[in-house]
């Protein structure tokens, strides 16, 4: 907008040295530039669909009876941030080095930050286009978020997934006691990336899937060995082996016979356990009473 008064005889708008409008006459070929007002108080133009190339100085030139006057305004074009380049998802072995890149454009230049999407992560881990991780650990796996912000619009974010490979680690393998004839289970839990493959051995003999009376159930993070009807021959030492392409580990556990010892409850005087049928019966009460009476008779 350019404010004028009744002393003005001629008006024009210029972009740098190029004339856009002189009075009501359009001199530029750009259809986005239009004349909004040419009155006794205002001479205004409008630039539609502004582009970064429109940035720069604009001059309103007016001619009065005395001498020409100019008024200059500088157009600053702001652009929302946009991430134009970001690293692809990556898979790396534990202990390796990782370099992530996030390039963004915008006006003014956006601020770029990196953060680890993890419950244990606190705050930003980088305030730069580049994120360097040396000697990466399994705890540092997961998604990393790049954020580009310049306050023109809401920040834009993109994520990169970092997969850290490591050899298996058996976290739980316990011996189990089971009575003969009952169902027994041995469980082997292991964490690994890629997921571990499991194998079971009794002593030095590998147990095969579908073996009579047994079932081996393998999942991503555990293996379950089930005995449907435990016999004496099933008791012994078992070894769980977890492996992937980075290594293997094993853990031993014992399937042992569990015996239950029944506690004899106190039934009071005269309670006698019948070894034939296992039942308690009351008896001998008269004998218990006669004994002290006989002792008293002898005394007197």
């Amino acid at each position: 907008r350019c404010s004028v008064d009744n002393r003005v005889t001629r008006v024009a708008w210029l972009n740098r040295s190029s004339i856009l409008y002189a009075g009501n006459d359009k001199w530029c070929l750009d259809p986005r530039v239009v004349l909004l007002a040419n009155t006794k108080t205002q001479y205004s133009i409008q630039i539609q669909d502004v582009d970064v190339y429109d940035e720069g100085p604009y001059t309103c030139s007016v001619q009065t009876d005395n001498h020409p006057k100019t008024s200059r305004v500088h157009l600053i074009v702001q652009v929302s941030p946009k991430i134009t380049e970001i690293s692809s998802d990556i898979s790396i072995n534990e202990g390796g080095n990782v370099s992530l890149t996030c390039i963004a454009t915008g006006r003014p230049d956006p601020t770029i930050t990196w953060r680890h999407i993890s419950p244990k992560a606190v705050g930003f881990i980088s305030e730069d286009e580049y994120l360097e991780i040396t000697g990466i650990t399994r705890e540092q796996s997961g998604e990393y978020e790049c954020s580009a912000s310049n306050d023109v619009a809401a920040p834009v974010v993109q994520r990169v997934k970092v997969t850290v490979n490591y050899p298996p680690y058996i976290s739980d393998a316990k011996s189990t006691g089971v009575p003969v004839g009952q169902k027994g289970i041995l469980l082997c839990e292991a964490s690994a990336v890629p997921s571990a493959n499991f194998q079971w051995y009794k002593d030095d003999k590998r147990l095969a899937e579908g073996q009579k009376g047994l079932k081996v159930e393998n999942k991503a993070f555990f293996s379950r060995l089930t005995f449907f009807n435990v016999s004496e021959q099933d008791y012994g030492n078992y070894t769980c082996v977890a492996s992937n392409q980075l290594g293997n580990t094993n853990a031993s556990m014992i399937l042992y016979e569990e015996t239950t010892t029944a506690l004899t409850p106190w039934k009071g005087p005269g309670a006698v356990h019948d070894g034939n049928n296992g039942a308690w019966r009351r008896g001998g009460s008269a004998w218990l009473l006669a004994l002290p009476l006989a002792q008293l008779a002898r005394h007197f």
Side-chain angles (χ1 to χ4, degrees), residues 24-224:
N24 292 323
D25 298 329
K26 185 175 182 179
W27 285 49
C28 71
L29 299 177
D30 193 338
R32 299 176 303 124
V33 181
V34 296
L35 182 65
L36 281 186
N38 184 8
T39 67
K40 294 180 179 181
T41 59
Q42 187 181 121
Y43 185 58
S44 302
I45 60 172
Q46 182 185 71
I47 304 172
Q48 301 170 344
D49 193 19
V50 171
D51 190 271
V52 291
Y53 301 106
D54 297 320
E55 184 167 301
Y58 289 78
T59 303
C60 174
S61 178
V62 298
Q63 179 70 44
T64 65
D65 295 335
N66 297 328
H67 53 77
K69 293 182 179 180
T70 60
S71 178
R72 176 173 292 188
V73 60
H74 194 93
L75 176 63
I76 300 174
V77 179
Q78 295 180 321
V79 180
S80 301
K82 180 181 180 181
I83 295 176
T84 58
E85 180 184 341
I86 192 168
S87 297
S88 302
D89 294 346
I90 185 174
S91 178
I92 188 169
N93 294 344
E94 189 171 36
N97 300 329
V98 174
S99 179
L100 301 180
T101 303
C102 181
I103 306 297
T105 59
R107 296 168 71 96
D109 292 336
T111 299
I112 297 178
T113 54
W114 282 97
R115 69 186 183 102
H116 186 196
I117 308 301
S118 167
K120 296 181 180 180
V122 179
F124 300 116
I125 54 177
S126 175
E127 296 186 6
D128 193 4
E129 297 175 341
Y130 306 100
L131 173 61
E132 303 286 343
I133 305 175
T134 303
I136 195 168
T137 64
R138 65 192 69 179
E139 290 78 18
Q140 292 175 299
S141 65
E143 290 189 320
Y144 287 79
E145 184 181 85
C146 169
S147 174
S149 173
N150 65 358
D151 295 329
V152 175
V156 292
V157 296
Q158 289 190 30
R159 294 183 177 182
V160 177
K161 184 178 181 180
V162 176
T163 302
V164 179
N165 304 313
Y166 58 91
Y169 168 76
I170 294 179
S171 56
D172 190 17
K174 297 178 182 178
S175 298
T176 304
V178 181
V180 172
Q182 298 297 312
K183 182 179 180 180
I185 295 176
L186 292 176
L187 187 66
C188 180
E189 296 182 3
S191 59
V193 177
S195 297
N197 296 313
F198 293 93
Q199 295 178 352
W200 286 93
Y201 293 83
K202 183 181 182 185
D203 299 324
D204 294 330
K205 182 180 179 182
R206 181 181 175 184
L207 303 179
E209 174 66 36
Q211 190 170 332
K212 185 178 179 181
L214 296 178
K215 179 182 179 182
V216 178
E217 183 183 5
N218 293 330
K219 299 295 183 179
F221 301 106
F222 72 88
S223 180
R224 182 187 292 118

